[in-house]
Amino acid sequence: MTTVAPVEEASKENISQEEVHHDHRLFGLAAFLVADGMTFAGFFAAYLTFRAVNPLLPGAIYELELPLPTLNTVLLLISSATFHRAGQALKRNETDLCRRWLLITATLGSAFLASQMVEYFTLPFGLTDNVYASTFYALTGFHGLHVTLGTLMILIVWWQTRKPNGRISSENVFPLEATELYWHFVDGIWVILFIILYLL
Amino acid sequence: MTLASSPDLSKESEPLQPKGWLRYFSFSVDHKVIGLQYLICGFIFYLIGGALASAIRIELTSPISDFMPRDVYNQVLTLHGTIMIFLWIVPVVNGAFGNYLIPFYVGARDMAFPRLNAVAFWLIPPAGLMLISSYFITGAAESGWTAYPPLSINTPAAGQIIWILSVLLLGGSSIFGGINFIATILKLRRPGLGLMQLPMYCWAMLGTSILVVLSTPVLAGTLILLSFDIVAHTGFFNPVMGGNVIVYQHLFWFYSHPAVYIMVLPAFGLVSEILPVHCRKPLFGYTTMVYSIMAIVVLGLVVWAHHMFTSGTPPWMRLFFTIATSFIAVPTGIKFFNWVATLWGGRISLNSAILFSCGFIINFVLGGITGVALAQVPFDIHVHDTYFVVAHFHYIVYGGSVFVIFSSIYHWYPKFTGRMLNENLGRLHFLLTFVGFNLCFAPQHWLGLNGMPRRVAEYDPQFTFVNQLSSAGALLMAISTLPFLWNVFQSAFNGPIAGDNPWKALTPEWLTSSPPPVENWEGPAPLVKEPYGYGETPETLEVALDKDLELGGDEK
Amino acid sequence: MPLSSAIRSVLLGIVLVVAGLWIGQNIKLLPVDASTNAPVYDELFRVLFSIGAILFLGITGLVVFSLIKFRRKPGDTSDGIALEGNLSLEILWTAIPAIVVLFVGIYSYDIYDRMGGMLPLDHGGHNHQNMASEERIWGGISSGSIEKSGMVVNAPLPVEVTAMQFAFIFHYPKGDITSGELHVPTGQPISMRLESRDVIHAFWVPEFRLKQDVIPGQPTILSFTATKPGRYPIICAELCGPYHGGMRSAVIVDSPKAYEEWFKNNAKTPVSEL
Ligand code: HEM
Ligand SMILES: [Cu+2]
Ligand SMILES: [Cu+2]
């Protein structure tokens, strides 16, 4: 009553598995990013609830300026585009172009981090001043950690695309694709963060 | 993230089979080794957690706090809860059986990410050791497994921080595991095998893993914020600094209610595997079972505030969560009726596996009934945070999940080791566990209703006798592990040889040798389209064929 | 299904329901009911217990029966029937629990309403000069329906409750009495303002079927009306530290006369001034 049929050919099966391998890894990464996104979602939910029910204590300061973060948003959005360019270039096997775009992306990421630092040092409140301040630093800090990690990963990808013995090429694009997916994710989170923390 | 096991690597480990026990201490990427690592590691933690439980029950045999200092009592309580949940049930129902069985069920030779899999396991022992050693070094956390602030901020910081760190590690392990299961079930299915042909445990693990991936990160984020409050003196959850303690509870339960399903959905899946084999009948209502798992997953994400009915939640929220929670009973109920229907008209072998599974059904029904009662705000207001709740969730997590773990061990031990367990010892084990368990926890309903709060080391003397009754039950439960341990150890060497398929089961893990070879099957993976195709009537063949088409062809 | 077995099933079902209802109505698991809420609660309890008993006895009965009836006889190696499902059965056991659960939900909503859970919160006679005006007051459950119970409605008596590790302190703004135990008269709504000094505690009086967390930073109003004179425990139900188990007090419910007596003996400010 059971249907126990042998596979057509073992070799065929192996081949089909080999083919889909890198898909699995991107899929796994996507699942991980969903999880990562839920961490942010928890932070956002906490922040919004504080907003809804916890008034700012008398005398507490929580003021945010818009110019720097707007610049940051632009930086990150552009960096997503440049990364995309890098990926396309690699797939077309134009490694040099790809490397240039990667460097530009990494620069944009670092610029974001620098500008974020500037903002930190000019803010009128510190980490422990009040709940909003703490949540602000927790959220932007956690996001900044992601950007830092992403920038490092971009630099590694850049190093690995070097001509003679780099490991990443149009034959092996997975590391670049993975980093790109991650980078877009980090950008997306930033946009949400920007809207919730700065605009609302 | 790594590739599926590379062939040369597995060839290397093949000759390890005879003196193979060393494998279990290695960074093996074989899903079967990892599964057993989870199981054994989890069981060791279970014994530790059980010792702590015994300490609690000894303290509670008298109404005064006399067995241990009060703060130690709270540490013991916290460790007990944390160990049982994060180091025993979650890793075993997910990690152990999931890793062992899922690749078989999808017809793969390993998990999607074998190395990530090994990493996920190896996060657990250090996390557990850290947690337990905190008791000896700094004093363990003493704010309960829920770690509600501001108590968790005010208690000694070192223990609490270590607690947070180990829970974060365990959460990470759980997330990695979840990702791996999702990828394996969705992406690694053997060609020709449809989703609706998978054994039910796959569906349970898919649902569970979705819950893990969606909810565990929220706990992680919350605990990070909590640790900031403790170490950096921020005020997220500290009312003195304008923080809000209720936000913590919402975030915590957003994970921890799904966590109860993370502990019990896989158990549901395992029971669905065990019953048909020993009843010699198809699993009743496969399709509805699948849908009810998914319904539980969705509903499970929106019921968390039923743990907060007395936390000053506004009436609309109380009502919403009452209704949502009550409705979980519907898909859960469907599963139970289906299991009973699976038993009905079968040829049931009354072996240890079946006994534990049926014990599970009976216990869980009681736990589910008290659960629906607890979901009703007016009812919960009286019994929240009392021994009634303690009874409820032990009926669920012990009477449910732990009974299923034992049932599963009796069922799959022949596959794991190639030898049979002793059935008489198994039945003795069941009898002691079932009687001890009910003696221990049933009276606690009464205690809660009549005024004994949970998490206390001292209580009103009028409750002494019932508490002693409960402790006697706990003693029986402790004793019940002895025949089990003896059985497991001595059968490993002296048990009758099991052969490939002692239960004449149809699921793919039985269609190979016991224990299975490194790559699961000597030849190609078998294609099992009907894992529950038991049963004989003249029409069987036709029915099976029809069903086959219907299931494979998918829905209208 | 042959007719006789159908009849047998229906009969068994009826016996089961009757047994469940009987058990539910006759079970004594709760302490005395000493507040207006308590009898309402007990009514809900009996209904839930009846439904639970029917379900539990039913399923346990089926499981045990199957294990005995369908156990494998020695030497029998045959399989069971190859029954993979039955649509009408599945619909049946989806629909019936759904209806039962819906009923339970609506019914418990009604109970909640009768307990006063849906009443808009007035501030129960507390004067809030010492609170920041925008401070949130969180609602516990209030005790409505005193009218229905036929008692005279008095203006609620305000009491301020402070919870701290590891004690409750009760303060009566009228008369400026501070006490370690709560004294209340029967038939008089009490409106408590609960506040915590340190961690979360919970105010629980089992005989009143009443519990409310006392949350630092979130003062909460909780009202109840005691009905039976006596001395009942007040228990902290939320883990609050090492001495949590010892954090107990008592509520002394007196007849209005006896309460008046106690009040006069302890009041610091003349009552007329308030
Ligand atoms: C029919 C399904 C269920 C319903 C309606 C339900 C309902 C509830 C409710 C309302 C509470 C809160 C009680 C209180 O603290 O006042 C609760 C507590 C609890 N439930 Fe369930 N439950 C169900 C199934 C489960 C399952 C499947 C599990 C675990 C596998 C579980 C484990 C727990 C635990 C661990 C607690 C206590 C948490 C704590 O405070 O430490 N329950 N349940
Ligand atoms: Cu829950
Ligand atoms: Cu307490």
Side-chain angles (χ1 to χ4, degrees), chain B residues 51-132:
Chain B
L52 294 166
S54 310
I56 294 175
R57 283 318 318 174
I58 293 172
E59 172 67 74
L60 291 178
T61 47
S62 72
I64 51 169
S65 167
D66 48 6
F67 181 64
M68 50 189 148
R70 290 176 172 82
D71 55 336
V72 173
Y73 181 81
N74 285 355
Q75 295 179 23
V76 167
L77 190 91
T78 306
L79 284 179
H80 164 73
T82 313
I83 289 174
M84 288 303 197
I85 292 172
F86 292 109
L87 290 159
W88 158 236
I89 296 186
V90 171
V92 170
V93 290
N94 290 276
F97 294 105
N99 276 305
Y100 203 96
L101 299 174
I102 294 289
F104 281 110
Y105 287 175
V106 300
R109 309 219 176 257
D110 208 323
M111 297 285 287
F113 313 117
R115 233 159 291 171
L116 182 69
N117 204 12
V119 171
F121 169 73
W122 281 107
L123 284 173
I124 291 181
L129 289 180
M130 192 163 91
L131 182 72
I132 291 165

Side-chain angles (χ1 to χ4, degrees), chain B residues 286-425:
Chain B
Y286 180 94
T287 321
T288 32
M289 294 291 250
V290 171
Y291 289 140
S292 30
I293 288 177
M294 290 306 150
I296 290 176
V297 168
V298 174
L299 281 173
L301 282 169
V302 293
V303 299
W304 73 88
H306 63 218
H307 296 274
M308 302 167 57
F309 283 151
T310 68
S311 309
T313 11
W316 67 266
M317 209 188 257
R318 285 173 155 180
L319 272 179
F320 171 81
F321 283 101
T322 288
I323 302 290
T325 309
S326 306
F327 266 95
I328 285 207
V330 177
T332 315
I334 293 175
K335 299 192 76 73
F336 280 80
F337 293 123
N338 279 329
W339 287 325
V340 174
T342 305
L343 289 174
W344 194 267
R347 297 282 183 281
I348 307 173
S349 315
L350 289 183
N351 53 29
S352 319
I354 274 289
L355 288 175
F356 270 103
S357 280
C358 291
F360 150 81
I361 295 180
I362 292 171
N363 296 332
F364 194 97
V365 164
L366 189 51
I369 289 169
T370 53
V372 175
L374 287 171
Q376 314 307 317
V377 180
F379 183 86
D380 182 64
I381 284 177
H382 174 47
V383 291
H384 169 67
D385 261 334
T386 69
Y387 258 86
F388 190 91
V389 170
V390 175
H392 157 72
F393 68 73
H394 281 94
Y395 265 87
I396 299 281
V397 291
Y398 196 102
S401 305
V402 178
F403 269 62
V404 173
I405 292 174
F406 283 128
S407 179
S408 306
I409 292 175
Y410 284 104
H411 181 72
W412 277 290
Y413 186 89
K415 184 49 65 181
F416 294 161
T417 62
R419 287 177 186 271
M420 303 298 286
L421 283 169
N422 181 315
E423 274 303 326
N424 287 334
L425 279 175

Side-chain angles (χ1 to χ4, degrees), chain B residues 74 280 285 288 310 312 318-319 345-349 376 378-379 381-382 384-385 450-451 455 530 535-536 547, chain C residues 29 41 52 70-72 76 78-80 84 90 93 108-109 112 138 204 211-213 235 237-238 241 244:
Chain B
N74 285 355
R280 311 309 302 167
T288 32
T310 68
R318 285 173 155 180
L319 272 179
R347 297 282 183 281
I348 307 173
S349 315
Q376 314 307 317
F379 183 86
I381 284 177
H382 174 47
H384 169 67
D385 261 334
N450 282 277
R455 296 172 164 170
E530 248 193 282
E536 40 187 319
K547 284 287 165 194
Chain C
L29 286 178
Y41 180 94
F70 302 116
R71 73 180 186 282
R72 175 182 299 282
D76 181 358
S78 64
D79 269 14
E84 298 199 345
E90 308 254 10
W93 60 53
S108 82
Y109 169 80
Y112 185 55
W138 294 72
W204 179 33
K211 183 182 296 107
Q212 173 61 45
D213 287 4
I235 301 162
E238 181 68 55
H244 165 54

Side-chain angles (χ1 to χ4, degrees), chain C residues 94-156:
Chain C
T94 310
I96 291 186
I99 292 168
V100 171
V101 156
L102 202 65
F103 161 76
V104 168
I106 292 171
Y107 177 63
S108 82
Y109 169 80
D110 178 55
I111 294 283
Y112 185 55
D113 194 32
R114 279 157 66 192
M115 287 180 170
M118 301 307 285
L119 285 185
L121 272 182
D122 56 355
H123 282 183
H126 290 278
N127 53 351
H128 302 286
Q129 299 128 339
N130 49 351
M131 292 194 250
S133 53
E134 72 277 359
E135 185 176 56
R136 260 178 93 86
I137 299 285
W138 294 72
I141 195 161
S142 26
S143 68
S145 69
I146 313 152
E147 305 86 37
K148 286 182 208 147
S149 64
M151 285 191 207
V152 199
V153 189
N154 300 319

